[in-house]
Amino acid sequence: MEQSTARRGSAAWALVITSVAGFMAALDNLVVTTALPSIRKDLGGALEDLEWTVSAYTLTFAVLLMFGAALGDRFGRRRLFIAGLAVFTGASAAAALAPGIDALIAARALQGVGAAIMMPLTLTLLTAAVPVARRGAALGIFSAVTGLAVASGPLIGGSLTEHISWQWIFWLNVPIGLALLPLARLRLDESYAPNARLDIPGTLLVSGGLFGIVYALVNGQADGWNSAPILAGLILGTLLVAAFVRHGLTSKNPMLPMRLFRNRAFFGINAASLLMFLGMFGSIFLLSQFLQGVAGYSPTEAGLRMLPWTGMPLIVAPVAGYLSDKIGGRPVVATGLALQAVGLALYALVLEPGVSYSAQLPALILSGIGMALYFAPAASVVMSSVRPAEQGVASGANNALREVGGALGVAVLGAVFAAQGSYESPQAFTDGTVPALWIGAGAVAVAAMVALLIPGRRHLTPADAPVSSEAVEKSVPVGV
């Protein structure tokens, strides 16, 4: 049974505090992409350093997300939310002050730790503070604010980089975080889940395994694929991930019960989500640099030109949600993933050093529509694939797997780019980006086929219960 202590909290304050915190955490997934050329110019570093600048955040965010939620349940959600917010704010200042690329990567990893503790607790705290009758509207506002952060990330990053400096994409978080800390202490109610258990062995296994695999993929081209560190990363990482899977099958209270994946719907939507983020996030990593380094746009112009892709969900999501209610989530998700794959393939076909923006626009629009059609019903499909008591774990797992997909996407597509191209000239950059986009398109196309494993409405089992209001609290996408 949950326990809570009443304070001077209110639904309005909870909505403001959690929405702003969620905006910051979601923004930092993509805000750095349009600043990468400027960061490379100021701090130096090779391709693998830029990859770690992005992946250090997404990877720590992913592997600690469910652990962070469990810490809040065990030791107090408001207390851990404040701790996560403090870590995120301090790490943002450290990133802005970073004297070199290695210090920036370390600060980004620490940002991910703070976000992993803070982000899952935003929805728990908000749900606890808002009466059931108004909960849907509050969660809708939270979701809209998070979606706005994703859509505006490249534009905000580009504008701050161009008109002030790239450091301000991190300084932006500091005054906001400092303002939220006392408000959270004074205006949020404390709550616990006394029986919550921490899966420390599972957290260590998945963290070590994914780090080893991503390290090898990011550094393989530079260090040599046959070098001892790269082979060790691939082999040990794979073994640790396998041990994590076994742990999820045999442990009494694992952070991710592997039995959930026996359900076709749960397996289908999560495998599709991981592959979708792999293709999408890795492509955005390269294309945001192409728009500046090859096409010659300023950081702000590059951010604006990404909006047909990143901003389209704000327009199309209501229609996608309506279609999902009418015909079910499977056809909407599969169609969205197919459109995203077509968009990336079309981009690969038209990309060349002198390509006009009008030639890129159809690919951006198709990718944006596809992203929106995927996002709108995905959370509902996840939540309806498991029993009500398992919906919190299921949603946390889906959010974590998407972040893992993003980290792997930057690593895999970056490795393809490094093998085929370089930063030496516009043509060399294009030569590396085109095959990477084809890999991204292929990954998302496979995701579309995997999504067809999701049962249709007529084939749902009794375990596939409707989404409860308590379960919705963790169904909003975290990050991109």
Side-chain angles (χ1 to χ4, degrees), residues 263-266 324-325 327-331 380-386 453-467:
N263 182 297
R264 275 177 53 203
F266 187 80
S324 178
D325 290 340
I327 63 176
R330 178 178 66 176
S380 178
V381 171
V382 171
M383 305 300 269
S384 64
S385 68
V386 296
L453 294 173
I454 300 168
R457 278 183 164 184
R458 296 180 181 179
H459 298 91
L460 290 175
T461 66
D464 300 325
V467 181

Side-chain angles (χ1 to χ4, degrees), residues 257-277:
M258 292 297 159
R259 57 181 169 75
L260 294 178
F261 290 94
R262 295 170 186 162
N263 182 297
R264 275 177 53 203
F266 187 80
F267 173 82
I269 189 62
N270 280 287
S273 296
L274 187 147
L275 289 167
M276 189 272 194
F277 270 69

Side-chain angles (χ1 to χ4, degrees), residues 119 176 419:
M119 191 63 179
I176 298 174

Side-chain angles (χ1 to χ4, degrees), residues 390-478:
E390 299 170 326
Q391 288 173 335
V393 173
S395 179
N398 182 253
N399 283 326
L401 285 169
R402 288 187 299 194
E403 296 293 332
V404 168
L408 289 175
V410 172
V412 171
L413 270 63
V416 174
F417 172 89
Q420 301 293 325
S422 69
Y423 286 96
E424 292 180 1
S425 68
Q427 187 61 56
F429 193 94
T430 305
D431 289 343
T433 303
V434 169
L437 288 178
W438 281 116
I439 297 296
V444 182
V446 173
M449 291 185 283
V450 170
L452 296 176
L453 294 173
I454 300 168
R457 278 183 164 184
R458 296 180 181 179
H459 298 91
L460 290 175
T461 66
D464 300 325
V467 181
S468 66
S469 59
E470 290 82 2
V472 174
E473 69 188 55
K474 293 182 181 178
S475 68
V476 180
V478 175

Side-chain angles (χ1 to χ4, degrees), residues 194-214:
N195 297 323
R197 300 187 180 185
L198 303 178
D199 183 10
I200 296 175
T203 302
L204 293 175
L205 286 172
V206 72
S207 301
L210 288 173
F211 175 80
I213 292 170
V214 171

Side-chain angles (χ1 to χ4, degrees), residues 53-452:
T53 302
V54 176
S55 294
Y57 181 81
T58 56
L59 192 58
T60 52
F61 194 176
V63 299
L64 296 176
L65 185 65
M66 298 179 73
F67 188 68
L71 282 173
D73 290 344
R74 179 77 174 272
F75 299 109
R77 290 161 180 156
R78 178 173 59 88
R79 179 182 300 163
L80 266 294
F81 171 80
I82 291 171
L85 178 60
V87 170
F88 183 85
T89 303
S92 297
L97 294 169
I101 194 71
D102 291 338
L104 177 60
I105 292 168
R108 287 283 286 167
L110 194 58
Q111 268 192 310
V113 173
I117 299 171
M118 173 179 72
M119 191 63 179
L121 298 176
T122 57
L123 292 166
T124 312
L125 291 164
L126 178 59
T127 303
V130 178
V132 174
R134 291 186 287 160
R135 193 169 291 164
L139 290 169
I141 293 171
F142 181 95
S143 181
V145 171
T146 305
L148 182 63
V150 174
S152 60
L155 177 58
I156 291 175
S159 297
L160 290 173
T161 299
E162 180 178 351
H163 298 295
I164 309 178
S165 70
W166 64 262
Q167 285 89 348
W168 275 91
I169 65 177
F170 302 115
W171 281 127
L172 179 67
N173 296 326
V174 176
I176 298 174
L178 291 175
L180 287 181
L181 284 169
L183 288 176
R185 178 70 177 81
L186 296 171
R187 297 296 181 179
L188 294 178
D189 294 341
E190 185 62 283
S191 64
Y192 301 82
N195 297 323
R197 300 187 180 185
L198 303 178
D199 183 10
I200 296 175
T203 302
L204 293 175
L205 286 172
V206 72
S207 301
L210 288 173
F211 175 80
I213 292 170
V214 171
Y215 172 86
L217 291 172
V218 168
N219 293 282
Q221 187 67 27
D223 295 352
W225 291 102
N226 293 323
S227 65
I230 301 305
L231 291 175
L234 287 173
I235 295 170
L236 291 177
T238 302
L239 290 174
L240 287 173
V241 170
F244 173 74
V245 172
R246 185 177 184 278
H247 174 79
L249 290 168
T250 60
S251 177
K252 187 177 180 180
N253 292 292
M255 63 186 293
L256 180 56
M258 292 297 159
R259 57 181 169 75
L260 294 178
F261 290 94
R262 295 170 186 162
N263 182 297
R264 275 177 53 203
F266 187 80
F267 173 82
I269 189 62
N270 280 287
S273 296
L274 187 147
L275 289 167
M276 189 272 194
F277 270 69
L278 190 155
M280 179 198 73
F281 212 86
S283 299
I284 289 176
F285 170 76
L286 291 172
L287 289 173
S288 61
Q289 296 181 74
F290 176 89
L291 288 172
Q292 295 179 65
V294 178
Y297 296 116
S298 70
T300 304
E301 292 170 339
L304 280 171
R305 280 159 177 77
M306 293 291 286
L307 279 178
W309 187 353
T310 60
M312 191 63 71
L314 296 177
I315 301 171
V316 179
V319 178
Y322 173 81
L323 289 174
S324 178
D325 290 340
K326 288 294 182 182
I327 63 176
R330 178 178 66 176
V332 181
V333 169
T335 301
L337 292 170
L339 287 175
Q340 175 78 85
V342 171
L344 291 176
L346 185 58
Y347 223 132
L349 287 171
V350 303
L351 206 66
E352 60 182 11
V355 64
S356 66
Y357 181 67
S358 61
Q360 301 172 54
L361 195 56
L364 290 165
I365 293 173
L366 273 178
S367 296
I369 294 173
M371 183 194 296
L373 291 177
Y374 157 81
F375 270 136
S380 178
V381 171
V382 171
M383 305 300 269
S384 64
S385 68
V386 296
R387 295 178 176 86
E390 299 170 326
Q391 288 173 335
V393 173
S395 179
N398 182 253
N399 283 326
L401 285 169
R402 288 187 299 194
E403 296 293 332
V404 168
L408 289 175
V410 172
V412 171
L413 270 63
V416 174
F417 172 89
Q420 301 293 325
S422 69
Y423 286 96
E424 292 180 1
S425 68
Q427 187 61 56
F429 193 94
T430 305
D431 289 343
T433 303
V434 169
L437 288 178
W438 281 116
I439 297 296
V444 182
V446 173
M449 291 185 283
V450 170
L452 296 176

